[in-house]
Amino acid sequence: MRTTTCADRAETREELARTAYDLLVIGGGILGTSVTWMAAQAGLRVAMVDAGDFAGATSSASSKLVHGGLRYLQTGNVRLVAENHRERRALAADIAPHLVKPLTFLVPIYKGGPHGAAKLGAGVFLYSALSVFGDGMGKVITPHQAMARVPALRSEGLRAAAVYGDHQMNDSRVAVMTVRAAADAGAVVLNHAEVVGLRKTGGDVAGTVTGADLRDRLDGTEFGVSARLVLNATGPWVDHLRRMEDPDAAPSIRLSKGAHLVLRRHEPWKAALTTPIDKYRVSFAIPWEDHLLLGTTDEAYEGDPGAVGATEADIAQILDEAGHAVRDSQLRREDITYAFAGLRVLPGGPGQVAAAKRETVLTRGSGGMLSVAGGKWTTYRHIGRHVLDTLAHLPGQPLGDDLADILPAVPLPGLASPDAVAMRLWTDRDPGARMDPLVARHLATHYGSIAFDLARLIREDPALGERIHPDGPDIWAQAVYARDREWAATVDDVVRRRTTLTVRGLDTPDVRSRIAALLT
Ligand SMILES: Cc1cc2nc3c(=O)[nH]c(=O)nc-3n(C[C@H](O)[C@H](O)[C@H](O)COP(=O)(O)OP(=O)(O)OC[C@H]3O[C@@H](n4cnc5c(N)ncnc54)[C@H](O)[C@@H]3O)c2cc1C
């Protein structure tokens, strides 16, 4: 496996600068990573760079759902739901069963709410039919049955609840595993490397984009990358890059901010809640990483994408909307461990952002650069394949006939049954020296069989088996592994995206300074 640690970033920069690539992907969110992975599988020489950390922007700020999108039935987009379901089930069954887990959802139906039981019952039935009842049949249950699954559910005015099945994930971990899959397939990747300009051949204005100028954000080094084709996968920054290609490029997208909160949980949650707020919007309350994830807002956003964050008004709105269905005792401000926000990329056009279609926007600029943005995390492989197909068939065929067919389903690294991995991590050592079952479970569900590599690190240095913070399951071996094998270069890379320390509110100054020492 090709890994890039802080120490060999210089080596990777040199490799990037001296190789003539078939494809340069700008942006290491899940869309850029997906295209990189697919292109490497097709035999292309491909490089991917990100200005920040991989998945450091939108791709780690999602609702963490791998879903068909019940909401899209509302807008009549049956084909999109069926397509999302297919991808969801492929991810959960074949690609990443170690990282993507099933979750039951309840839609509570209250007296005076925006949708009645008959409509929602028909909706969840159709929703489950569109995934060929792979997660059971969508149906309506009684308030008593609903409260047995979610004791924190508000009972006043509760008439019934509709039930359906979807999946969830830790988006940052799935993203880093996908970067690793791309690197395993031969891609060269570098995070914290910002594209500051595009290289053109055939003239500065009318020329073709054949590379980029970059600046390493960690040490300021400047370097360049050359490629036959350049893909702009910079999510909310997509138009910024398009304007580097053509200063007169018209806007192609608009942005909508979605904020989330993570709270400590006081009761068991055997299901998530999807609570209708109005005709289009829902509020999610999702058991996630032993906590409760609440969201999300949906407001037009016009500021700097890099400055997006959850504001006091977002926090108040999320708690208020969650309160439609969740008891106050589960919505205390002092229980908030983390708040974050991301930007949805929506096709440009008039109308409310909440009602806009969540579609992928694909454009080609005057310099030949292809830009892709928007769409769902859930369908990232599908979008990656579609973009690769588009690249292969561009007018003039800049990639020629150099693409091999790719296999339909290549699993992510670490593919294994998480139950089997957790069991082996626990039983591999003698009683008395056994791994804590909670830590074993945490490693199995965030690394799959790669957890055995972490166990090896602990065998060599037992101190790495200790918890980073006593209140969470993350251990020091994860931080070392993140540094050495997962491109983590800053404290935030480790605490926010390689481990669950930040979401659990455990990235204390002491934890941060010990991780900083480890990274240097
Ligand atoms: C609030 C919210 C909730 C969502 N929930 C879900 C969900 O539950 N399920 C689901 O399926 N989908 C969900 N989505 C959609 C999904 O998260 C996005 O479609 C997906 O993450 C987009 O990925 P991306 O790679 O296009 O963008 P990003 O992840 O934003 O990646 C773009 C990257 O480009 C980099 N970049 C920018 N400028 C430069 C430059 N000059 N040089 C180099 N790199 C640069 C950035 O650093 C960034 O990492 C949600 C989206 C939002 C906003």
Side-chain angles (χ1 to χ4, degrees), residues 27 29-31 50-51 58-59 62-63 65 195 234 236 343-344 375 377-378:
I30 194 56
L31 294 197
D50 195 287
T58 327
S59 299
S62 79
S63 305
L65 299 179
V195 167
T234 55
L343 294 171
R344 300 176 190 86
W377 227 113
T378 305

Side-chain angles (χ1 to χ4, degrees), residues 2 8-21 45 47 188 199 223-227:
R2 201 189 292 256
D8 59 33
R9 289 178 62 84
E11 216 173 278
T12 305
R13 279 195 312 254
E14 274 165 33
E15 183 171 0
L16 286 169
R18 72 167 174 259
T19 309
Y21 289 95
R45 268 166 308 190
V188 178
R199 292 183 168 182
F223 62 105
V225 181
S226 301

